[in-house]
Every structure is written in structure tokens, then in C-alpha cells.
Amino acid sequence: MIVSHRHRYVFVHIPKTGGTSLTLALEARVGRDDIILSDTPKGRNRRRRARGAAARGRLWKHSTLADIEGLVDPAIFDDYLLFTLIRNPWDRAISYYRWLRVQHFDHPSVALARRMDFADFLRDPRTQAQLAVPSAHYLTDGTGRERPALYLRLDRLQTDLPALESHLGFPLNPLPHENPSPRDGDRPVHDAETAAIVARAAAADVARFGWRFDAG
């Protein structure tokens, strides 16, 4: 997440959507008082700015708008451009699984991915609960109100980025390609069952953004 007072925006980083690459592009132009919650070098250097803040929720790279209330005045949500990246849920499920497979920290999802094949991982109710979290959750404030935001589709960035660049006043292309899913063997592929599982779990975003599963 980045809160830029210099450029008057809040970038909300939804997991496994390519947000690290966009963070790196954005943070190259941040102002002195801007807040960066990320694992990037500049983000690590500015972590102290969030220490001791009476924030509503967890302050980390995937914070929601509700989480950062207290770190920032929620009044800025009315005045700043709010935006995020979103990704085809079937591709996102593959990326999530592959990333978890090479992690070693103590988390139930890591344990599931490391001991299960892709299909069994998706069959697990805990995985489906993760996939069911809608994009709107991250753009919802502490009152439960979803704030108007610019949703950039990862697979349509060339089309969607100009609206963001117009607000920023500087270009973002080409974006750096950072934090890709690790290559841990063959890439999982969806069959009819796993595609249907993702469609059901992510039904809210599928309906809202018109995602379609591409078997090819």
C-alpha cells in the first residue's frame, strides 16, 4: 500500500495481483511525507513512520482502507484517488498456490499447498474462503462503506493505466516485473472441476468484473 500526499492517491495492494511491480513504479516518485507499506527497499526504509500509529487494523502491504484509519485521516478517502490492481481469479488461484508451495513460514495455507496437489488445495474450504474475499473488501472503510475506486485489470494494463497516469502526471510504463510466482516445476492447470471451484468461490468478483475462464 502507498498513501501519497504528494500525488493525492491511495494505492491498495490486493494479494497476488502484480501489486509489487506497481508499487516499485509508484514509489520512484513518492514525496517525503508519503507512506509506503511494503516489502520493497523504500518501504522497509519507511516502516518507522507507521510504528506506534493507532491504526484500526494491521499495517502491512495488503492493508485495507479500514486498516489504515488512524494512520491517516479517513477524510482523505473523499479527496484522494483510490485505486488497486485486480486479476483474473483463475490465474490468481494458480499464482497463489505456486507462491505458497515455496514458502516456509508458519501459516495454514502454506501447509496446505506444500502437502496437497492443486486440485486438493482448491477443494479445501479454507482455500475457498481465501478466494471468496472480494476485491471490494480492500476498498471498504471502517464504517463498512465501499469507497469509489479505480480498478486496474492486470491483463488489460495497457488499456487501464492511462486513466491512472493522467491523475499522477507521469508515465508508469514499462512496469518492472517483480515478485513473480516461483517456478517450482510444471505450472498447474485448471480442469473443469477446479475451474468451477474458483468460479463459485470468487463469484462476487466474477459477476462484478465479467471475468471468464479461458481453458486455452
Side-chain angles (χ1 to χ4, degrees):
M1 172 176 277
I2 298 178
V3 179
S4 175
H5 302 297
R6 179 182 186 184
H7 297 290
R8 301 179 66 82
Y9 71 75
V10 180
F11 167 53
V12 179
H13 182 177
I14 297 174
K16 305 313 296 179
T17 59
T20 299
S21 296
L22 185 52
T23 296
L24 287 167
L26 290 166
E27 70 177 22
R29 303 285 193 103
V30 293
R32 180 179 300 176
D33 297 325
D34 291 352
I35 299 167
I36 306 172
L37 303 176
S38 78
D39 296 330
T40 60
K42 191 169 286 188
R44 289 192 292 269
N45 288 337
R46 296 196 180 192
R47 282 178 182 171
R48 66 186 181 279
R49 300 187 181 186
R51 290 177 188 158
R56 185 184 184 93
R58 181 183 177 188
L59 298 178
W60 68 311
K61 65 181 179 180
H62 300 309
S63 290
T64 67
L65 292 184
D67 290 335
I68 65 171
E69 291 186 6
L71 175 66
V72 300
D73 185 340
I76 70 171
F77 301 158
D78 291 320
D79 298 327
Y80 287 18
L81 175 69
L82 312 179
F83 65 94
T84 192
L85 275 169
I86 57 174
R87 186 176 190 177
N88 176 303
W90 294 277
D91 289 344
R92 187 167 174 246
I94 290 173
S95 178
Y96 183 46
Y97 174 74
R98 295 175 73 206
W99 179 78
L100 288 170
R101 292 270 292 175
V102 297
Q103 304 307 310
H104 297 280
F105 58 89
D106 184 17
H107 190 278
S109 293
V110 173
L112 285 176
R114 289 181 64 84
R115 74 169 185 264
M116 292 180 173
D117 65 21
F118 183 56
D120 283 340
F121 174 72
L122 290 181
R123 292 183 188 113
D124 193 283
R126 289 166 290 185
T127 300
Q128 293 175 33
Q130 291 286 333
L131 297 176
V133 177
S135 299
H137 166 74
Y138 294 88
L139 277 301
T140 297
D141 65 20
T143 70
R145 172 190 170 197
E146 181 190 351
R147 295 296 187 124
L150 178 63
Y151 287 86
L152 308 171
R153 298 183 185 221
L154 185 61
D155 59 343
R156 299 184 186 177
L157 275 183
Q158 296 303 313
T159 301
D160 291 352
L161 271 181
L164 174 58
E165 292 172 329
S166 177
H167 173 88
L168 298 174
F170 58 83
L172 291 169
N173 273 324
L175 291 179
H177 185 56
E178 294 291 331
N179 205 22
S181 297
R183 303 290 177 180
D184 62 328
D186 293 338
R187 174 184 172 90
V189 295
H190 286 285
D191 58 21
E193 180 192 6
T194 63
I197 289 172
V198 173
R200 288 193 300 271
D205 274 1
V206 169
R208 178 173 184 173
F209 299 109
W211 298 115
R212 295 290 183 269
F213 174 65
D214 181 2

